[in-house]
């Protein structure tokens, strides 16, 4: 299973950021399904229909809802993957389900695990959230923040960063700047950055802390993996709140993932 994730305890997992959210959640869905678990993969914003993004062969069923109540009455098969969303004006996509729905589905034990894509990135490798993002589901236990190496190894531009004005506000970088570990630390640690948690219905006393997993993706070559590992260790030296850090590549038929330790006092990777 994925380091940092306990499928029995971490039943609602949300992913934000850019550069590989969809690939990661699809990979996680397959692993959970192969271990005998019943999985729902959905969104609170928009995702591509499985027929469009190549995931259809791994999916047992797709539900396009006109009313979210349909998900309460649609019983999944054991050890299966369901992709669900609301009908979208764009036929290539599914629109988001209500943010309170995943917790209710878990409460009714309809699914073992629910995976939620909680923001969009226009398929660019980096982003910072706008004032309305992310749209996190109620009751999530894990928040996966994704960044793409293709954005880190290139200067900041319209081709590498989504929500550039927000990204610049968090990191201090402008167009043409290179992304160094200090800027990435700002993105990772800022309350307005990668792990932004907007106000939820729960009060602060009711809200349980979530595990934060940083996924540094698009490390497709051996050289990139070496550079990415060194870069991530520099970022983690100033990122005590990160529970687990994963290096990854989903460009090959067999995904590659490698966990690395956060050796700061409060950010020890408990899965090592």
């Amino acid at each position: 299973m994925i380091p940092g994730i306990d499928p029995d305890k971490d039943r609602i997992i949300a992913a934000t950021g850019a550069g590989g959210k969809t690939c990661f959640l699809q990979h996680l869905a397959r692993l959970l399904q192969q271990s005998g678990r019943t999985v729902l993969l959905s969104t609170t914003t928009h995702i591509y229909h499985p027929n469009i993004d190549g995931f259809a062969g791994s999916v047992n069923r797709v539900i396009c809802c006109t009313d979210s109540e349909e998900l309460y009455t649609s019983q999944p098969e054991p050890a299966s993957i369901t992709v669900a969303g609301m009908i979208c004006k764009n036929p290539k996509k599914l629109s988001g389900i209500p943010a309170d729905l995943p917790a209710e589905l878990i409460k009714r034990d309809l699914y073992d695990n629910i995976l939620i894509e909680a923001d969009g990135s226009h398929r660019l490798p980096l982003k910072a959230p706008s004032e309305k993002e992310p749209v996190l589901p109620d009751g999530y236990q894990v928040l996966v923040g994704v960044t793409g190496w293709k954005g880190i190894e290139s200067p900041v531009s319209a081709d590498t960063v989504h929500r550039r004005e927000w990204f610049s506000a968090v990191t201090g970088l402008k167009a043409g700047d290179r992304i160094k570990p200090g800027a990435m630390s700002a993105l990772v640690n800022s309350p307005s950055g990668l792990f932004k948690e907007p106000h939820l219905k729960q009060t602060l006393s009711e809200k349980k802390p979530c595990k934060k997993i940083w996924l540094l993706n698009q490390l497709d070559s051996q050289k990139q993996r070496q550079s990415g590992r060194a870069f991530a260790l520099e970022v983690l030296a100033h990122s005590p709140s990160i529970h687990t850090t994963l290096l990854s590549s989903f460009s090959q038929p067999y995904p590659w993932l490698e966990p690395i330790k956060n050796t700061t006092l409060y950010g020890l990777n408990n899965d090592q």
Side-chain angles (χ1 to χ4, degrees):
M1 195 50 64
I2 302 291
I5 295 176
D6 180 340
D8 292 324
K9 296 178 180 178
D10 303 327
R11 298 186 66 185
I12 302 177
I13 299 164
T16 63
K21 293 189 302 292
T22 300
C23 290
F24 172 76
L25 290 179
Q26 290 175 350
H27 176 62
L28 178 56
R30 289 188 188 100
L31 292 178
L32 292 167
Q33 186 265 341
Q34 289 164 9
S35 69
R37 304 182 74 85
T38 302
V39 184
L40 172 64
L41 175 58
S42 188
T43 182
T44 49
T45 54
H46 293 90
I47 55 173
Y48 278 96
H49 193 285
N51 291 337
I52 301 299
D53 68 10
F55 192 50
S58 299
V59 174
N60 298 91
R61 64 176 184 164
V62 179
I63 302 176
C64 299
C65 304
T66 54
D67 185 332
S68 60
E69 291 289 324
E70 294 175 41
L71 280 172
Y72 292 130
T73 57
S74 184
Q75 184 74 37
E77 293 293 324
S80 65
I81 298 174
T82 298
V83 174
M86 307 301 291
I87 290 176
C88 184
K89 291 181 180 179
N90 182 344
K92 295 182 178 181
K93 291 187 175 184
L94 299 172
S95 291
I97 62 175
D100 59 355
L101 184 56
E104 189 60 37
L105 294 172
I106 289 292
K107 196 178 297 183
R108 300 187 189 195
D109 254 343
L110 282 167
Y111 295 93
D112 295 313
N113 300 96
I114 297 179
L115 314 180
I116 297 292
E117 196 165 317
D119 64 2
S121 60
H122 284 201
R123 295 192 167 182
L124 296 179
L126 292 173
K127 75 166 290 185
S130 72
E131 80 281 4
K132 296 180 180 180
E133 296 175 308
V135 183
L136 295 171
D138 293 355
Y140 63 97
Q141 291 92 17
V142 177
L143 182 56
V144 182
V146 183
T147 52
W149 185 252
K150 291 178 182 177
I152 294 169
E153 65 182 2
S154 303
V156 172
S157 74
D159 295 324
T160 60
V161 178
H162 184 49
R163 309 284 193 210
R164 271 193 302 159
E165 66 278 20
W166 301 96
F167 185 85
S168 294
V170 171
T171 63
L173 299 177
K174 59 184 183 300
D177 287 345
R178 308 293 302 200
I179 299 171
K180 296 182 178 180
M184 184 55 62
S185 293
L187 184 67
V188 166
N189 292 292
S190 170
S192 301
L194 186 62
F195 293 97
K196 179 183 174 185
E197 296 184 80
H199 177 72
L200 301 176
K201 292 178 182 178
Q202 303 101 317
T203 65
L204 289 176
S205 60
E206 293 173 327
K207 186 182 182 303
K208 296 180 181 179
C210 73
K211 286 190 285 189
K212 296 177 181 178
I213 295 177
W214 177 32
L215 182 77
L216 178 54
N217 189 40
Q218 298 178 338
L219 298 171
D220 300 332
S221 70
Q222 191 59 40
K223 182 179 179 180
Q224 288 173 324
R225 291 172 190 181
Q226 291 173 350
S227 299
R229 191 177 296 110
F231 183 91
L233 286 170
E234 286 196 56
V235 174
L236 289 176
H238 305 284
S239 306
S241 67
I242 302 302
H243 177 271
T244 301
T245 298
L246 300 172
L247 310 179
S248 65
S249 170
F250 296 101
S251 65
Q252 304 298 322
Y254 298 99
W256 173 82
L257 286 99
E258 176 185 295
I260 59 174
K261 278 188 177 181
N262 183 352
T263 54
T264 55
L265 179 62
Y266 298 107
L268 289 175
N269 185 329
N270 298 318
D271 302 286
Q272 294 292 304

